[in-house]
Amino acid sequence: MVVATPNPIRSEKMRNIELPIIDLSAERPEVSGLIVRACQEFGFFKVINHGVSQDVIARMESQSFEFFAKPVPEKQLAGPANPHGYGSKNIGFNGDVGEVEYLLLSTNSASISQMSNVISPHDPTLFSSAARCYVEAVRGLACEILELMAEGLWVSDTSAFSRLIRAADSDSLLRLNHYPPLTEDSDTSPSSFRRIGFGEHTDPQILTVLRSNGVGGLQISLEDGVWIPVAPDSSAFCVNVGDVLQFNGRERPKETNWAKFALKAYTAFVKAMTNGRFVSVRHRALANSYKPRMSMAYFGAPSLHARIFPPPELVTPQRPRLYRTFTWAEYKKAAYSLRLGDGRLNLFRSRTVDEG
């Protein structure tokens, strides 16, 4: 849920924990195991040696900053976001707001080219070229991670997850979030990070690949009222694929009070694909009072008509089907009818164990 709260709740606590950093150039079985372990413990992790060139990243970031530096009337020509396009403050259609302005783009090449005509009318090829190259690179990274994830879950069809976002009619998105500095001061105290830029929420798609410009603000929550700041890393992408509640009989440590959190957690699409083994983790972005923050998020999603159900290896007599088969279009419609943080997947719970 994106919450219009100027300051964090007084009862909140901060905990400094380093997210796992996974080197994708290591041996494949090792990497696969580390990804599963990272998902079990955090639901978020960083990847290095990811194969996305710095030039591709820099071009996309430069074009994004160039757009957001324009006067407001010029930026508004690319909006309103319905759903694609420019938006500011208001997020979605159900009253969610934040200290953010953004561009939301379809990852379809034709759509990017069309939007580029209003985003950068004087030379649209610069923006469209940067966006297409960036999308192609991060899509490839997302597919690699999904295949490693499938291997770690012992799914025989290792492309079961990745082919959903490789589809030509994939509903994947690229979201460029710009958090302007709130004041002109240079205060670096903790109080300077108090404004909610993008409130707590979960991502409804399959997987998120996130890149920021080196300014902190991202936080994740593994239990109620406790937030973990994610340090920016210029050499890494941050990946959000959901959090494993239980895998191979291993329970989460009791001190995280995970069972309590699980009842309240905002589940996401990937949980259905893993038959409940993965659950999304709440996260948010705080605005910085003295530096602009830019984040570039690729949301991997299937085509609208794709049918969502878990691979057969993840359904057993001991762990029957939790959710009925549904399409991404059905799920997306449900998501749009609710606030961003509301539980959605429970609408698709299976009434019978063997429903398919």
Side-chain angles (χ1 to χ4, degrees):
M1 180 188 301
V2 173
V3 184
T5 304
N7 298 294
I9 301 172
R10 291 182 181 273
S11 61
E12 289 181 350
K13 298 178 181 179
M14 303 301 293
R15 180 176 298 167
N16 290 320
I17 299 176
E18 289 294 325
L19 288 187
I21 300 176
I22 299 176
D23 185 347
L24 294 183
S25 68
E27 293 295 324
R28 195 170 182 88
E30 177 188 356
V31 174
S32 181
L34 288 173
I35 286 177
V36 169
R37 182 176 178 182
C39 291
Q40 287 177 305
E41 296 179 359
F42 296 96
F44 277 70
F45 58 91
K46 297 178 181 179
V47 293
I48 59 174
N49 292 322
H50 41 68
V52 180
S53 78
Q54 188 59 42
D55 178 63
V56 167
I57 296 169
R59 287 174 60 205
M60 187 72 261
E61 190 173 279
S62 174
Q63 287 297 309
S64 301
F65 269 122
E66 185 173 319
F67 171 79
F68 289 118
K70 292 181 177 182
V72 171
E74 290 186 33
K75 291 184 286 191
Q76 289 177 335
L77 295 175
N82 187 29
H84 306 134
Y86 173 75
S88 179
K89 303 285 188 178
N90 296 314
I91 304 168
F93 305 101
N94 297 300
D96 296 305
V97 296
E99 296 290 342
V100 63
E101 57 178 344
Y102 60 92
L103 272 174
L104 187 60
L105 306 172
S106 165
T107 58
N108 177 274
S109 293
S111 178
I112 289 174
S113 295
Q114 182 178 6
M115 283 297 302
S116 296
N117 290 322
V118 290
I119 292 171
S120 182
H122 298 298
D123 195 348
T125 58
L126 285 176
F127 186 92
S128 63
S129 175
R132 285 198 302 268
C133 289
Y134 186 80
V135 164
E136 181 180 357
V138 293
R139 180 194 291 123
L141 174 58
C143 288
E144 180 181 2
I145 292 169
L146 287 170
E147 289 168 7
L148 286 162
M149 184 194 308
E151 292 174 22
L153 291 171
W154 297 95
V155 174
S156 59
D157 180 3
T158 57
S159 64
F161 304 147
S162 64
R163 67 167 165 264
L164 291 171
I165 65 175
R166 290 188 191 276
D169 55 352
S170 161
D171 195 40
S172 299
L173 299 170
L174 176 64
R175 186 182 185 103
L176 308 172
N177 286 329
H178 179 238
Y179 304 91
L182 300 175
T183 69
E184 296 299 323
D185 65 62
S186 57
D187 180 15
T188 59
S189 66
S191 62
S192 70
F193 293 88
R194 295 292 185 182
R195 296 293 294 273
I196 298 295
F198 204 113
E200 63 179 76
H201 63 286
T202 57
D203 301 331
Q205 293 85 1
I206 302 173
L207 174 141
T208 302
V209 177
L210 178 69
R211 174 82 182 194
S212 71
N213 66 320
V215 176
L218 177 64
Q219 298 179 343
I220 67 172
S221 178
L222 298 180
E223 57 179 308
D224 279 344
V226 179
W227 289 93
I228 299 170
V230 178
D233 187 338
S234 61
S235 66
F237 279 92
C238 189
V239 179
N240 169 21
V241 296
D243 193 35
V244 177
L245 285 172
Q246 182 178 348
F247 185 64
N248 286 343
R250 293 183 58 189
E251 297 284 355
R252 284 188 164 274
K254 291 183 179 179
E255 61 267 24
T256 65
N257 199 11
W258 193 254
K260 177 181 178 182
F261 169 70
L263 294 175
K264 298 180 179 179
Y266 302 122
T267 53
F269 165 75
V270 74
K271 185 175 179 182
M273 290 296 294
T274 59
N275 199 33
R277 293 188 181 185
F278 284 15
V279 62
S280 61
V281 172
R282 292 173 295 169
H283 52 286
R284 68 184 183 185
L286 301 189
N288 189 300
S289 70
Y290 69 103
K291 288 183 178 180
R293 181 173 184 268
M294 175 81 70
S295 67
M296 305 185 297
Y298 168 81
F299 300 103
S303 62
L304 292 173
H305 63 268
R307 299 174 72 246
I308 309 308
F309 55 90
E313 294 89 348
L314 301 182
V315 181
T316 67
Q318 294 75 31
R319 192 175 189 85
R321 284 283 298 273
L322 297 180
Y323 303 97
R324 65 176 176 84
T325 298
F326 55 90
T327 67
W328 172 244
E330 290 178 290
Y331 184 75
K332 187 176 179 180
K333 181 179 180 181
Y336 269 71
S337 70
L338 302 170
R339 292 183 67 130
L340 296 181
D342 291 343
R344 299 173 285 260
L345 197 55
N346 285 335
L347 299 175
F348 300 93
R349 277 195 172 273
S350 177
R351 294 182 179 273
T352 61
V353 168
D354 61 351
E355 183 177 356

